[in-house]
Amino acid sequence: METTISAPVQLTETAIAEVRRLIQEPGFDSTQLLRFGVKGGGCSGLSYVLGFDTPTADDEHFEIEGISCIMNKSHGIYLAGMQIDWQDGLNSRGFTFTNPNASKTCGCGTSFAV
């Protein structure tokens, strides 16, 4: 059964624009939704998961500015309140994560501890 919740994470305007650009790419699989999550690993213990994926029965569904999103129900305690931005500069390019639940993060910004 699908559970719909309010968005536990925030995307900045630049992140929304980049996700929309990716969705418009030729050959994009429109059956996949934007997945937020965590997995074990990285220098700080947990790494962020951000990508397009097929929904599972364990997912919560939500929408951000018309973008359909999913997240495993158990990941909310790690990601609630997180903000994701898109950087497109000379020194930094890619998605960045600002997580109020992280007690420490690594230098690359893609792993954290709680």
Side-chain angles (χ1 to χ4, degrees):
M1 179 175 170
E2 180 178 305
T3 303
T4 303
I5 60 169
S6 60
V9 300
Q10 299 173 359
L11 295 174
T12 64
E13 288 183 33
T14 54
I16 290 168
E18 179 62 13
V19 170
R20 287 185 175 148
R21 186 193 69 75
L22 292 170
I23 290 171
Q24 297 302 314
E25 285 287 309
F28 177 79
D29 182 353
S30 61
T31 64
Q32 295 194 343
L33 307 179
L34 183 61
R35 176 175 297 282
F36 301 94
V38 297
K39 65 179 180 178
C43 6
S44 296
L46 293 169
S47 294
Y48 296 110
V49 172
L50 177 64
F52 295 100
D53 197 10
T54 305
T56 69
D58 293 329
D59 287 333
E60 295 177 317
H61 294 246
F62 54 97
E63 191 172 288
I64 300 174
E65 298 290 325
I67 300 168
S68 296
C69 305
I70 52 176
M71 180 179 67
N72 185 290
K73 295 171 189 171
S74 65
H75 295 191
I77 60 171
Y78 303 108
L79 302 179
M82 182 173 69
Q83 182 183 64
I84 300 171
D85 190 21
W86 169 257
Q87 300 290 315
D88 194 17
L90 292 173
N91 295 327
S92 177
R93 181 177 170 86
F95 289 100
T96 61
F97 306 90
T98 304
N99 188 345
N101 305 302
S103 63
K104 71 175 190 173
T105 60
C106 69
C108 68
T110 60
S111 71
F112 68 102
V114 289

